[in-house]
Amino acid sequence: MNRKSVKMDMETKLVYDNIYTNAVMFLRRAIKELITSSGDHLEREQAVIACIFIQMAVELGFKAYLIKTKSLTSILRDKHKKQTIEELLEEFEDGTLQTKTFEELKRMIVADDQLFDEERLEYINDFQRYRNQAVHFHLRLVQGDLFDLRYDLVYVLVHVVIPVLAEISLDIESPSDFYQECLDKNDYLTLIKFEPYVYEMKKVAEQHSQFVYHCIECNEKTYSVDNEICYCCNLQFVNAGEYVKCPACKTPKSVIFDHNNIAINENVMNGLCLNCGERCKVFKCPSCEVATPFYYEIDLQDTCYSNRCEMES
């Protein structure tokens, strides 16, 4: 995302690191609550706990982001304005440092950086209502609500928590990269098979890619040919593959083959269609660099394969 960052002194960096670490901790706990749910809906207790943990991750994420892009004082109450950084650090360590309200933090991020569009803001506001009702009142959730809530909470994780903590751009990067780093292996492997997460990654891939096909690793339709990453399991083929139209299903740029090693393999490699699963071979002319999928050599009789144009160049 390459957003602006301010140079932090040692004291500010200490505060930032603590806040960021706690945000990731609450994020991990929220994900664990979500992925350990049995059946196709959350239990009410899981829903309440997940809401609280995600809210904490969001609020701490906002604070960390504003410290990094603005200053430590940007998140503090006015009473701290005239204090030195040493005094602020002392209050932080004593637990007496007072920060602005969540609404104030949210307004600062929305106004200055435009991280969130109208849809994301609507989800944030809805989520806040869920959380407030869960903590302060009796949150009445029927089974249908508990089913939908899994998807709503995953949306907040992907489109709210990720932009402030990982600072990634979803059109060129996968949020799974961030989760792979901050979650333990078992939780990560469970997350990328968790239906609400897969559903959201399918939407993200479709929104930011012209060609989206099945991933050869997780088999979900979340692999972006444009960016050469799987938005679900984070498989990456950057500069490792090339794509041609499938001879079977006629889908454009769906047959992947290894273009790096094709020259040492008599310019022929095995290919796999990520759309229909068809296997074929691919010839790439070393002279004109045109790649052609085929089943039998006779299929290439009208191409440069039969004419050996590389021998004439």
Side-chain angles (χ1 to χ4, degrees), residues 44-88:
R44 186 184 182 280
E45 182 175 328
Q46 288 177 311
V48 172
I49 293 173
C51 281
I52 293 172
F53 285 156
I54 292 176
Q55 175 64 23
M56 293 303 299
V58 171
E59 185 165 345
L60 290 169
F62 281 7
K63 291 176 182 178
Y65 183 84
L66 288 168
I67 292 174
K68 185 176 181 180
T69 58
K70 296 184 182 300
S71 66
L72 173 58
T73 55
S74 71
I75 71 167
L76 301 179
R77 295 276 182 88
D78 290 342
K79 61 176 287 188
H80 297 295
K81 276 187 176 181
K82 295 182 179 180
Q83 290 179 289
T84 66
I85 186 62
E86 290 77 18
E87 291 172 332
L88 293 176

Side-chain angles (χ1 to χ4, degrees), residues 246-250 255 271 273 276-282 292-300:
C246 178
C249 67
K250 309 302 181 184
V255 172
C273 179
C276 70
E278 184 73 6
R279 295 182 181 274
C280 61
K281 293 184 179 296
V282 178
T292 307
F294 69 99
Y295 294 108
Y296 308 102
E297 288 195 15
I298 192 172
D299 297 330
L300 296 170

